[in-house]
Amino acid sequence: MAFDVARVRGLFPALGDGWVHLDAPAGMQVPEQVATAVSTALRAPVSGPGGIFPASQRAEAIVDAARRAVADLVGADPNGVVLGPSNAVLLQRLADALGDGWLIGDEVVVSRLDHPANIAPWQRAAQRSGGTVRWAEIDIETCELPAWQYDDLLSSRTKVVALTAASGVVGTRPDLRTITDAARKVGALVVVDASAAAPFVPLDIAAMGADVLALSASAWGGPPVGALVFRDAGMVDRLPSVALEPGARGPERLELGPHAYPLLAGLVASVDYLAELDDTAIGPRRERLVTSLGSVKAYQAGLLANLISELRALRHAMVIGDAMRRVPALAFTVSEVKAWEAVEHLAERGVCAFSDPGHHGVFAALGVGEVGGAVRVGLAHYTNAVEVDQLVRAVAELG
């Protein structure tokens, strides 16, 4: 495996601003090839699909290429790829469609580890039908999501199990296969938000056991578009349609209004970028994606381990959680320093990070708000050891 971080950094014009961008959980910076693909599509004649003229055929080709790119990313059938403005919007559409058939007493299972995008839609759908929301809790010491608890959470009334492939807040990667196998035994649909995992881990929808995967391209440096991927492509035709066109078939049934074709062209370019992260990767795009993301995973594991070790060596800093499997996102607190003050201190030293008051989600479950909130950082493909050291030195000054 060959991952050359110096070469990868050269792909990002935005890195010329001089800042250390550890703000990856909000979306990575955009590679030049993605920006070029979007601008090229904006300049080219593109019309609505369905015509016999070149501009219309170009639109159809872009949509088809985008479906195939996302399918390659997760090992799926392109006919099961739904495209839209964001994973949050698409998850809401899915919840609305599924919830129409629920009855009083039906249940959904969500987790404290998840992003609100994969929690709120299911809460709303359950509320409309008179259903029940059951919560999977995290281990407050490690931030793991124990799989054993799902044996008690699942029942014959469980309609959907919604969980994340990785937390963009504390990095935890749950044991998906154990949970999805348990859900399948009771006939529940499993919806996995893979947005935080996709930039760093090779994904295989069948191996994960997910019925539906949600993705956000901005997480890996793509444009602001999302996708839902169905393991069974035929399932989309069994859902109520939200399309404006009465005769919509397949993934078009969950796509509302015209596509942003230039952004979809950028989506294709962003998946190609992922496939090229390891410049020794060969073969079809799916194979190159698996190789490249495997290389990224190995590189990031070493960088993250060093960052965690250095932060834990500081007496006044506490890293939140200690999950065995994780992506390179983490949160920490600083003794007697509020999170927003720590983030201001980091910004003054050229480091981008976020503060979280700890009132919602994982941090609320951990009681982080009681100590002034947490600082959130995330490594990107272009993060190097020098930048990690810069963060650690800045945090050390807070002591």
Side-chain angles (χ1 to χ4, degrees), residues 137-158:
E137 304 291 346
I138 60 172
D139 184 303
I140 61 174
E141 295 293 332
T142 64
C143 289
E144 297 275 14
L145 184 70
W148 53 260
Q149 66 185 304
Y150 281 84
D151 291 336
D152 295 326
L153 291 170
L154 299 170
S155 74
S156 59
R157 298 301 302 268
T158 305

Side-chain angles (χ1 to χ4, degrees), residues 83-108:
L83 302 169
S86 71
N87 63 335
V89 168
L90 292 174
L91 284 167
Q92 185 62 62
R93 289 181 194 166
L94 178 63
D96 290 343
L98 291 172
D100 282 347
W102 294 352
L103 304 173
I104 294 175
D106 285 342
E107 300 174 349
V108 296

